[in-house]
Amino acid sequence: MTDDDLVAQAQAGSQEAWAELVHRHHGAVFRTAHAALLSREEADDAAQEAWVAAWRALGEFRGQASVRTWLLTIAWRKALDRRRGVVAWWRALRLDATPDDEVAPRLELVAVDRSAEAQVIGREQRRRLQRLVRGLPRTHRDALLIAATGDMPYADAAALLGIPVGTLKWRVSEARRLLRERM
């Protein structure tokens, strides 16, 4: 059964069809939120908010984009809302935040089974990469992270960010170049 078939059934009231859509796309929705927030906990909350928003807006879905793109766009927007809210909260506490700070988000990478020495070196490299990613201009960082999820083609990622595909490709390339230089 296609996503469009499931949407039609869910719009007609089928909870099973909606559950199948959630099952199919939850990983991508989570990864998209994580790309914006760089925190598993925040991404999980944003993903849940996205699912609630999608359920509420399901009757308005007209198929102008794929179901997946529609869901990922909702997830991205919910994550950005959350990101702005967290930054404002930190600023209210008068923490050392600047307009480009994202509340020191963590880029979570999974370590493979290695020696203790290799794990320590790997942790330090991950911390350094996290700092470098946080230090990228927001436009470059968002483009890099949303493209890195691999959940949508560049055309859909560009539409999600509201920029031309060429601009997305340039920003991703420039972000990678900056990271290489700084590493």
Side-chain angles (χ1 to χ4, degrees):
M1 188 172 294
T2 68
D3 283 350
D4 291 333
D5 295 335
L6 291 171
V7 167
Q9 289 181 11
Q11 286 174 328
S14 171
Q15 291 182 357
E16 293 80 16
W18 178 252
E20 178 60 26
L21 281 170
V22 172
H23 177 73
R24 285 184 185 182
H25 299 289
H26 183 71
V29 166
F30 174 82
R31 286 186 299 276
T32 298
H34 191 263
L37 296 165
L38 300 175
S39 161
R40 286 188 178 280
E41 295 80 17
E42 290 291 324
D44 190 46
D45 290 345
Q48 293 305 318
E49 290 172 10
W51 286 116
V52 170
W55 173 253
R56 288 182 178 152
L58 188 61
E60 300 168 21
F61 178 74
R62 300 287 178 244
Q64 295 170 337
S66 72
V67 174
R68 183 182 190 91
T69 299
W70 179 70
L71 291 169
L72 297 183
T73 300
I74 293 170
W76 182 254
R77 289 182 180 153
K78 290 296 178 183
L80 291 182
D81 289 347
R82 181 168 281 276
R83 184 168 75 182
R84 282 188 288 270
V86 170
V87 170
W89 181 77
W90 277 102
R91 285 193 188 122
L93 290 176
R94 297 179 190 263
L95 292 179
D96 189 23
T98 65
D100 288 332
D101 283 346
E102 297 303 326
V103 192
R106 296 183 349 230
L107 180 61
E108 299 175 16
L109 304 172
V110 178
V112 184
D113 187 26
R114 301 178 300 204
S115 72
E117 181 180 353
Q119 287 179 9
V120 169
I121 292 169
R123 275 194 300 272
E124 182 52 39
Q125 287 175 335
R126 282 192 306 278
R127 278 190 221 115
R128 185 166 183 232
L129 179 59
Q130 291 167 1
R131 285 190 302 272
L132 292 174
V133 169
R134 282 193 308 267
L136 289 171
R138 182 177 292 165
T139 56
H140 291 57
R141 183 178 57 235
D142 287 350
L144 175 68
L145 294 174
I146 198 69
T149 66
D151 287 317
M152 64 178 80
Y154 268 39
D156 291 346
L160 180 104
L161 294 172
I163 59 175
V165 174
T167 301
L168 174 71
K169 289 179 180 180
W170 178 82
R171 287 179 182 173
V172 169
S173 175
E174 185 66 9
R176 288 177 178 156
R177 185 190 65 76
L178 290 169
L179 289 174
R180 274 192 307 273
E181 274 181 12
R182 296 172 184 174
M183 284 296 279

